């Protein structure tokens, strides 16, 4: 079973001192004061907890990285990010955390698919964020537990090696489906796009969203990655310039469609989580956009716990999605 | 049993000339990347073969589809 829980600062410190390998999410000040040890952390005040979605700055979400033979921790400055897949164990998993808006966030999102080991070695993780009420006042951070460093960019990683006969598998839990009405293609990879084609005809992304009644951006664009749906959640729509910003990059080799509306996020999540939650989930996270638009505060989504994030990593950067890594 | 690297199934899978469905996100992401990449054809087949060898235990339904 998943060994994750929302705990007090004292409990988190106690678990670090016990020598356990941990992934920790929470308020920056609490993370700064934790003892050094075998852990990585990222800032966020939103969580999917046992009793439902919640916002708290007085507790920390601690996930114990169990079920493996060993866990190695490493900090990757932006210029070393390319080493991540090389360091990832042949049989195991890598859990990484990066701050939202940094160079590492962008580089990983845009380039990770190009690595020869991409999708062969499971990489799960999340993008650290902030209290949305403090936008522009504070910045997201990650923490490298072995040294206590608090970082505004780069990535912190835990690489878990599994015993022979065990495999790590990452589930992409996406409550959105493509409506298949209009096929959107982009000329290049990026978090922003102005020009696109819709059913082969050139237009701007903002014009398309306006025509489809989605200027508020509540519905993501759903990319069809050969049968797995990866969302590009919409961050901003500028109808004057035509430009649209996304929380995950769009790719030129992928067909995108507007998502079908979701009437009830909680009902849909329950439906999608059910096949996964009885499995051996080691780590999970859900998107802050789902938390907001789905009004998940106080709502319980099965038994899976984890941070609510500014981007989810399930082999590649995703958004408006939930990911869960399980050991089979 | 996983077909050998020389088997035509890998090419058919890349070219979408055989019906194939999987719920494994990693495999779908890999297929999407390989189908549109400029890598040499044999290298793409090798990547797919390597994936199936590594995850053989979890891909029984998919392996059956390869040679159907």
């Amino acid at each position: 079973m998943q060994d994750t829980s929302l705990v007090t600062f004292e409990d988190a410190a106690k678990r670090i001192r016990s020598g356990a390998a941990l992934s920790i999410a929470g308020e920056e000040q609490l993370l700064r004061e934790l003892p050094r040890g075998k852990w990585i952390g990222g800032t966020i005040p939103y969580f999917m907890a046992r009793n439902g979605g919640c916002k708290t700055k007085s507790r920390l979400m601690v996930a114990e990285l169990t079920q493996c033979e060993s866990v190695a921790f490493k900090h990757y400055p932006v210029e070393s990010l390319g080493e991540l897949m090389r360091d990832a164990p042949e049989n195991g998993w890598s859990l990484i955390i990066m701050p939202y808006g940094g160079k590492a966030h962008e580089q990983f999102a845009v380039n990770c698919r190009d690595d020869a080991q991409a999708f062969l070695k499971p990489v799960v993780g999340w993008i650290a964020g902030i209290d949305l009420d403090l936008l522009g006042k504070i910045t997201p951070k990650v923490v490298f537990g072995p040294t206590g460093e608090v970082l505004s960019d780069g990535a912190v990683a835990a690489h878990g090696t599994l015993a022979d006969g065990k495999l790590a598998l990452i589930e992409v839990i996406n409550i959105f489906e493509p409506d298949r009405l209009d096929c959107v293609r982009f000329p290049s990879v990026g978090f922003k796009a102005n020009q696109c084609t819709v059913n082969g005809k050139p237009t701007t992304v903002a014009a398309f969203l306006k025509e489809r009644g989605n200027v508020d951006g509540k519905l993501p664009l759903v990319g069809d990655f050969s049968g797995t749906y990866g969302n590009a959640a919409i961050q901003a729509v500028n109808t004057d310039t035509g430009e649209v910003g996304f929380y995950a990059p769009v790719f030129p080799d992928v067909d995108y469609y507007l998502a079908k509306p979701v009437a009830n996020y909680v009902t849909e999540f329950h439906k999608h989580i059910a096949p996964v939650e009885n499995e051996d989930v080691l780590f999970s996270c859900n998107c802050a956009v789902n938390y907001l638009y789905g009004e998940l505060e106080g709502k319980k989504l099965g038994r899976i716990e984890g941070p609510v994030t500014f981007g989810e990593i399930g082999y590649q950067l995703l958004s408006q999605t939930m990911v869960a890594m399980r050991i089979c | 049993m996983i077909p050998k690297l020389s088997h035509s199934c890998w090419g058919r899978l890349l070219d979408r000339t055989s019906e194939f469905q999987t719920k494994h996100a990693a495999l779908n992401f890999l297929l999407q990347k390989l189908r549109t990449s400029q890598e040499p054809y044999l290298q793409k087949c090798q990547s797919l073969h390597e994936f199936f060898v590594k995850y053989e235990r979890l891909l029984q339904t998919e392996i059956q589809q390869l040679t159907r």
Side-chain angles (χ1 to χ4, degrees):
Chain A
M1 272 305 295
Q2 189 182 17
D3 188 3
T4 302
S5 51
L6 201 52
V7 301
T8 62
F9 174 84
E10 289 73 22
D11 283 344
K14 197 173 161 187
R15 289 177 78 171
I16 292 170
R17 288 195 192 97
S18 78
L22 307 168
S23 167
I24 305 179
E27 181 68 7
E28 180 177 336
Q29 199 51 42
L30 294 183
L31 293 174
R32 279 183 181 277
E33 291 170 14
L34 284 171
R36 292 178 187 185
K38 296 194 287 183
W39 62 279
I40 51 172
T43 55
I44 199 75
Y46 308 102
F47 306 95
M48 300 182 302
R50 199 161 296 166
N51 296 320
C54 66
K55 176 181 174 182
T56 174
K57 295 184 181 184
S58 60
R59 287 182 173 251
L60 294 154
M61 176 73 72
V62 177
E64 188 155 345
L65 306 175
T66 56
Q67 306 180 59
C68 38
E69 291 194 322
S70 63
V71 184
F73 292 88
K74 190 166 174 182
H75 161 229
Y76 295 89
V78 177
E79 60 275 15
S80 306
L81 207 53
E83 295 172 14
L84 191 132
M85 291 306 283
R86 192 191 65 196
D87 294 341
E90 280 307 318
N91 184 33
W93 47 262
S94 298
L95 192 162
I96 61 173
I97 313 173
M98 292 175 277
Y100 179 80
K103 285 180 186 163
H105 176 212
E106 183 177 0
Q107 279 188 25
F108 177 84
V110 169
N111 300 324
C112 70
R113 295 173 78 219
D114 299 333
D115 193 287
Q117 292 299 306
F119 315 119
L120 284 161
K121 292 179 173 179
V123 177
V124 73
W126 57 285
I127 305 301
I130 56 164
D131 180 347
L132 291 166
D133 294 334
L134 299 176
L135 266 179
K137 293 178 184 160
I138 59 171
T139 56
K141 305 282 191 327
V142 294
V143 185
F144 188 58
T147 60
E149 285 171 281
V150 179
L151 306 149
S152 299
D153 207 345
V156 290
H159 298 291
T161 299
L162 292 170
D164 289 345
K166 293 272 186 186
L167 286 167
L169 196 67
I170 301 167
E171 306 278 359
V172 176
I173 300 162
N174 189 351
I175 61 170
F176 293 96
E177 287 181 20
D179 69 1
R180 304 269 176 201
L181 294 176
D182 297 300
C183 177
V184 184
R185 299 280 298 202
F186 296 94
S188 56
V189 60
F191 280 89
K192 287 178 183 173
N194 187 304
Q195 299 297 309
C196 67
T197 61
V198 175
N199 304 321
K201 292 178 184 166
T203 184
T204 67
V205 190
F208 167 69
L209 292 178
K210 189 177 177 185
E211 189 185 316
R212 293 297 311 276
N214 193 47
V215 175
D216 64 5
K218 285 196 171 177
L219 295 174
L221 289 183
V222 181
D224 185 350
F225 292 78
S226 290
T228 289
Y229 300 139
N231 300 334
I234 292 161
Q235 181 202 34
V237 179
N238 187 328
T239 50
D240 293 332
T241 64
E243 187 172 274
V244 170
F246 301 99
Y247 285 109
V250 289
F251 295 95
D253 62 314
V254 176
D255 289 337
Y256 289 86
Y257 303 88
L258 196 61
K260 288 180 187 172
V262 168
N264 186 315
Y265 279 55
V266 176
T267 307
E268 284 304 313
F269 267 118
H270 277 296
K271 227 186 282 176
H272 286 76
I273 289 172
V276 177
E277 70 175 340
N278 291 327
E279 305 288 343
D280 240 340
V281 173
L282 185 65
F283 176 84
S284 180
C285 61
N286 200 341
C287 186
V289 179
N290 283 333
Y291 185 87
L292 285 177
Y293 293 162
E295 298 173 350
L296 299 183
E297 187 160 346
K299 313 265 175 60
K300 202 175 165 185
L301 300 181
R303 293 196 301 271
I304 296 180
E305 298 182 77
V308 169
T309 67
F310 279 33
E312 305 75 59
I313 296 165
Y315 302 103
Q316 61 184 46
L317 183 69
L318 304 163
S319 58
Q320 218 161 343
T321 304
M322 179 176 175
V323 298
M325 177 170 72
R326 57 192 183 92
I327 308 302
C328 320
Chain B
M1 195 167 147
I2 299 170
K4 287 183 178 170
L5 179 58
S6 56
H7 197 284
S8 59
C9 67
W10 306 112
R12 290 201 303 270
L13 186 51
L14 284 169
D15 298 340
R16 298 177 191 259
T17 47
S18 60
E19 201 167 306
F20 182 84
Q21 282 196 328
T22 178
K23 288 182 176 173
H24 287 272
L27 180 52
N28 280 331
F29 284 146
L30 179 65
L31 279 167
Q32 182 67 27
K33 169 186 154 176
L34 296 176
R35 281 169 174 162
T36 54
S37 88
Q38 301 300 310
E39 281 176 50
Y41 202 72
L42 183 59
Q43 207 172 307
K44 295 185 193 186
C45 292
Q46 276 173 337
S47 295
L48 271 181
H49 189 263
E50 192 184 340
F51 186 94
F52 271 82
V53 169
K54 181 169 182 177
Y55 293 101
E56 179 175 8
R57 186 164 55 83
L58 305 177
L59 295 173
Q60 291 310 305
T61 313
E62 288 77 4
I63 291 167
Q64 284 172 17
Q65 293 180 63
L66 287 177
T67 51
R68 198 170 54 193

